[in-house]
Amino acid sequence: MTVRDIVATHPRPTDVDRDLLVRCVEECIDCAAVCTGCSDGCLGEPDAGELVRCIRLCLDCADVCSATARVVLRQTEAEHAVLRPVVEACAAACRASGDECARHAGHHEHCRVCEQSCRRCEAACDALAASLG
Amino acid sequence: MTVRDIVATHPRPTDVDRDLLVRCVEECIDCAAVCTGCSDGCLGEPDAGELVRCIRLCLDCADVCSATARVVLRQTEAEHAVLRPVVEACAAACRASGDECARHAGHHEHCRVCEQSCRRCEAACDALAASLG
Amino acid sequence: MTVRDIVATHPRPTDVDRDLLVRCVEECIDCAAVCTGCSDGCLGEPDAGELVRCIRLCLDCADVCSATARVVLRQTEAEHAVLRPVVEACAAACRASGDECARHAGHHEHCRVCEQSCRRCEAACDALAASLG
Amino acid sequence: MTVRDIVATHPRPTDVDRDLLVRCVEECIDCAAVCTGCSDGCLGEPDAGELVRCIRLCLDCADVCSATARVVLRQTEAEHAVLRPVVEACAAACRASGDECARHAGHHEHCRVCEQSCRRCEAACDALAASLG
């Protein structure tokens, strides 16, 4: 797994728990891609008009997850005063997107896949935030 | 000013105060560009080794400001449960980056320009967050 | 104008023409914001279903413009073999998005504003690419 | 693998070869993360001053790969006139970053990991571009 490799080869590892850090980065990256795909899948549905809120929240979630993955990945001069609110904001974006996808998961497979990715990412962000003390 | 135009032509404006919204988006966009330029200016300095913390915090700030600009710009189905923590995380990133740039503002013009942009963006994020009730 | 300031304070300016560089960055930043706003405006329209292609192309254009702004802004160790194809890809994204917005500019003000921003950005990218020799 | 799942559940799949599309997205996502980690690893090295070019090219590559992953992932109303130059620009960014990391791969493990990721991503972009006819 390449994220773990690049984290492990850092010359100045942070004091953040490495397993929690790697898991958070991996889930953010996955969730950013899945939310991009889900918003695009929603846009291509015949009932796209019913999915406007889902599209919007998935776009937000993709943007926040992408930024969070980068901030969490960086270990040089890590700053908890930035890391913590960023990870907490990401959990909030995942929660909103996951809750909305859950409403459509019975009708649209991409929403089902996306809900699961959002839930995993929210949990990974919560776990990392909790570890920051 | 194009950001104001695109916000003003939205078919379903949010209940968020428009002036605060536009100011926040404009400052986030500016700060993202300036932090990208400052991290790159630091990297090109003969004393880049002294500026490692500044480079890192500016890269974080650019990523968080870029994501925040997008989330705040979107008015369709705006969700305060996402908007507020995202804007608060952005203020935190601007504060860290602005504080670090302030330490180098006497020696490097790009840090002086960047500190000012970070301070304005932090204030714009704080004002928007306060308005969300 | 802050982009010009941060470009001007760089310790190792590139040999790229500064006016063309600044214009390209400013237009990419503007176009990224305007395309984000236009895709969101389209999503909020009663006839969003007619605007699916416009939403998709504006999302692409916003992503490509954001990346291009960052690559062009960086002056340390600038590499034309990267800069040129990136700027050309950005011109292509602006052209597609501008052409599609033009089809809706009579009905939707955000498409009219967005078409103009896309045209300006395409021209700025073309001018920069032409200068790279 | 979640990228494959979200691509496979799209209601309107493109005519682009699915295996090439999925591989390109997966490699772009991986390369964006690895380049972010490598630039940060370089920044934390005692000889960071020797790695300025590597940091810069990895930052570019991360930005271009992130945008490319999104453009390629979107299947609704896919536009080859955008897709092709974006994927070609990404291959160029990966080539420059991979070549520079190769120069440091003997001294820095993160550069070795990053070179490999850049090479795989370049190949995946080339293969997708070639398939677009």
Side-chain angles (χ1 to χ4, degrees), chain B residues 10 29 40 63 70 75-76, chain C residues 10 29 40 70 75-76:
Chain B
H10 199 282
I29 289 171
D40 180 65
D63 289 333
R70 290 175 168 217
Q75 298 187 81
T76 300
Chain C
H10 199 282
I29 289 171
D40 181 65
R70 289 175 167 217
Q75 298 187 80
T76 300

Side-chain angles (χ1 to χ4, degrees), chain D residues 8-27:
Chain D
T9 58
H10 198 282
R12 292 206 246 163
T14 59
D15 57 355
V16 175
D17 179 281
R18 185 175 296 168
D19 286 340
L20 294 177
L21 185 154
V22 169
R23 188 177 146 223
C24 183
V25 172
E26 288 178 346
E27 294 297 352

Side-chain angles (χ1 to χ4, degrees), chain B residues 56-108:
Chain B
R56 189 253 148 85
L57 292 174
C58 282
L59 289 172
D60 281 2
C61 193
D63 289 333
V64 176
C65 284
S66 294
T68 302
R70 290 175 168 217
V71 171
V72 177
L73 248 179
R74 293 189 187 110
Q75 298 187 81
T76 300
E77 296 285 352
E79 173 56 61
H80 288 207
V82 177
L83 190 55
R84 180 201 289 269
V86 167
V87 170
E88 289 173 346
C90 193
C94 291
R95 194 173 314 122
S97 185
D99 286 351
E100 184 62 25
C101 279
R103 301 184 56 235
H104 311 288
H107 306 89
H108 298 304

Side-chain angles (χ1 to χ4, degrees), chain D residues 8 49-50 64 83 95 99 110 130:
Chain D
E50 311 286 307
V64 176
L83 189 56
R95 194 174 313 123
D99 286 353
H110 47 83

